[in-house]
Amino acid sequence: MPKVLIIGAGGVGSVVAHKCAQVPEVFEEILLASRTLKKCDDIAASIKSRTGRDIRTAQVDADNVAETVALIKSFGPDLLLNVALPYQDLALMEACLETGVDYLDTANYEPPDEAKFEYKWQWAYQKRFREKGIMALLGSGFDPGVTNVYCAHAMKHHFDEIHVLDIIDCNAGDHGQAFATNFNPEINIREITQRGRYWERGEWVETDPLSWSMNFDFPEGIGEKKCYLMYHEELESLVMHLKGLRRARFWMTFGEQYLTHLRVLEGIGMTSIEPVEYNGQMIQPLQFLKAVLPEPGSLGPLTKGRTCIGCLMQGIKDGREKKLYVYNVCSHEEAYREVGSQAISYTTGVPAMIGAMMVLTGKWRKEGVWHMEQFDPDPFMAALNKHGLPWVETVL
């Protein structure tokens, strides 16, 4: 039976480990590793109390290829599931190449010294992974991840061509903190403060950060929320793989309190990644800010409300225009009751486990580097309903 090595013991890593432990028929042995062994041990204790299963833990520096290679060789996993920081994607892919182990992540590579994320660095591994006879599945979270699969599902079952795509991500939860991020603050703030970008008739169009907005009426009683246009990595692959696409955008909701704090912090330089000298040391202001903000994992018991993430698509089927909305609503409270985490980590961790399941069971298998929408969406969509992220589709 398969063995999985999970790298990363933050909020998402905790969810992934819990959800893998719930599926012993697929994940026979689990090793959870990170730079901080205590985090792994705490998660293992939680899994033991919730499921009765024992998982192994280890310390590893994911930036150090040799360390990861040694850990892989000692454990012998069939797949490395990367939920560490995006900075570490390439180092972990190198370790997989050296050991011949399949690879999966939830977010694309981002260089530490530049607030820019794109897939070119990982796409460059296509030939090497193919020649090694192993597979890399990129972006198996929710967005990217489930949103890609929603699009593949729509192409297979609802459209001959998709002309317009809007991915809309709403966190309608409240953690009661003055300012906090629901996942790694450094990655979150780098993402939000970048220039916006969307796809329009064959080219990328840039906007000032958070300068475009729209109101959207979310389903199931969540109601109308203000959404802001951002760039998000799944757009980069979807514009290549969706037939007939003319426009693709990504939107996310933010509360006014969050935005006010963000503007102030940005205005005084605290969101900068340019090093400054402090007490004789060079530090990044954003990394210092991360150190003083609430740990995302601590928000689980505090967060109330729901998330809603979905794809709004317009296109044609049999020569007739069609509009479809596919989405999931996830409760922060229910996620915390099940795995001790808020819904942001849950909605990323569950698809990571499902993606690993698809690879390990052979339902998704191609040598090389691939995106979620390049596989049959049906088994993944069925697994979402079974493992905690049921979806709804509405023809509008």
Side-chain angles (χ1 to χ4, degrees):
M1 294 292 286
K3 300 164 72 173
V4 62
L5 168 59
I6 303 167
I7 304 285
V12 176
S14 177
V15 175
V16 171
H18 278 85
K19 296 301 286 191
C20 287
Q22 292 176 8
V23 193
E25 64 273 20
V26 174
F27 303 97
E28 183 182 36
E29 291 187 52
I30 301 166
L31 172 59
L32 176 64
S34 82
R35 197 184 304 267
T36 307
L37 182 60
K38 185 179 185 305
K39 288 184 177 181
C40 300
D41 290 341
D42 289 346
I43 292 169
S46 174
I47 290 170
K48 177 68 172 179
S49 68
R50 292 173 186 271
T51 69
R53 286 196 66 183
D54 290 307
I55 71 166
R56 294 169 59 181
T57 62
Q59 190 278 331
V60 70
D61 178 356
D63 291 310
N64 187 317
V65 175
E67 273 193 34
T68 306
V69 167
L71 183 62
I72 291 172
K73 288 181 176 179
S74 68
F75 179 58
D78 300 282
L79 177 125
L80 186 153
L81 200 165
N82 170 20
V83 281
L85 294 176
Y87 315 139
Q88 296 158 334
D89 288 1
L90 303 189
L92 293 175
M93 291 179 79
E94 289 288 347
C96 286
L97 279 167
E98 188 167 334
T99 54
V101 170
D102 289 336
Y103 170 88
L104 178 150
D105 65 31
T106 64
N108 65 358
Y109 176 71
E110 183 172 348
D113 58 353
E114 184 181 8
K116 181 178 183 179
F117 52 94
E118 57 182 305
Y119 276 116
K120 70 176 183 182
W121 294 284
Q122 291 179 276
W123 286 344
Y125 281 75
Q126 174 68 263
K127 182 180 179 182
R128 294 172 66 196
F129 266 70
R130 189 170 60 246
E131 290 177 347
K132 189 71 174 182
I134 60 176
M135 174 179 176
L137 181 63
L138 305 183
S140 188
F142 204 110
D143 45 351
V146 174
T147 50
N148 302 62
V149 177
Y150 283 173
C151 291
H153 166 82
M155 280 299 313
K156 180 175 180 178
H157 296 287
H158 292 282
F159 292 99
D160 298 319
E161 293 183 359
I162 295 176
H163 294 161
V164 178
L165 166 65
D166 285 294
I167 300 171
I168 310 173
D169 183 324
C170 169
N171 178 15
D174 182 10
H175 46 56
Q177 304 300 295
F179 183 79
T181 62
N182 288 291
F183 60 96
N184 185 284
E186 186 179 351
I187 302 302
N188 179 252
I189 292 172
R190 283 167 64 121
E191 176 182 89
I192 293 167
T193 55
Q194 288 190 56
R195 288 178 63 78
R197 193 155 60 121
Y198 67 96
W199 176 263
E200 180 92 60
R201 298 188 181 277
E203 62 182 13
W204 292 104
V205 181
E206 287 198 358
T207 66
D208 289 334
L210 305 180
S211 61
W212 285 29
S213 65
M214 71 168 183
N215 291 328
F216 187 78
D217 190 9
F218 289 92
E220 302 188 23
I222 293 174
E224 189 172 286
K225 303 287 182 183
K226 193 171 186 177
C227 312
Y228 293 84
L229 186 141
M230 297 172 50
Y231 174 67
H232 228 241
E233 63 233 60
E234 65 262 48
L235 297 180
E236 191 175 6
S237 67
L238 288 170
V239 301
M240 298 169 59
H241 299 134
L242 295 185
K243 183 179 178 183
L245 195 61
R246 299 172 185 172
R247 187 179 72 202
R249 302 177 296 189
F250 182 95
W251 306 85
M252 185 173 285
T253 63
F254 299 100
E256 280 304 313
Q257 179 172 285
Y258 180 93
L259 292 176
T260 298
H261 278 81
L262 183 64
R263 292 185 189 108
V264 171
L265 291 167
E266 191 171 14
I268 61 175
M270 286 303 299
T271 64
S272 173
I273 63 171
E274 294 298 322
V276 297
E277 185 175 348
Y278 176 74
N279 281 351
Q281 299 183 63
M282 299 303 292
I283 65 167
Q284 280 189 11
L286 181 54
Q287 290 181 342
F288 176 81
L289 177 62
K290 172 187 174 182
V292 299
L293 288 176
E295 169 67 34
S298 70
L299 301 176
L302 305 176
T303 309
K304 314 299 179 186
R306 294 174 292 168
T307 63
C308 179
I309 312 173
C311 295
L312 182 63
M313 294 163 279
Q314 300 177 54
I316 56 171
K317 178 67 174 178
D318 299 327
R320 301 181 64 181
E321 292 188 0
K322 186 173 184 178
K323 189 173 183 180
L324 179 73
Y325 182 39
V326 187
Y327 67 90
N328 162 265
V329 170
C330 184
S331 162
H332 286 287
E333 294 97 323
E334 289 181 12
Y336 183 73
R337 280 193 291 270
E338 183 188 346
V339 298
S341 172
Q342 36 82 1
I344 303 300
S345 295
Y346 190 86
T347 54
T348 304
V350 172
M353 180 277 288
I354 295 173
M357 183 191 303
M358 295 296 106
V359 175
L360 291 172
T361 59
K363 291 179 180 177
W364 287 4
R365 186 73 211 172
K366 290 182 183 179
E367 295 172 354
V369 177
W370 305 99
H371 291 276
M372 306 285 282
E373 70 271 18
Q374 294 178 277
F375 296 91
D376 180 10
D378 292 353
F380 195 100
M381 294 289 280
L384 287 170
N385 285 332
K386 181 178 180 181
H387 294 285
L389 292 177
W391 47 274
V392 178
E393 62 180 12
T394 305
V395 177
L396 302 174

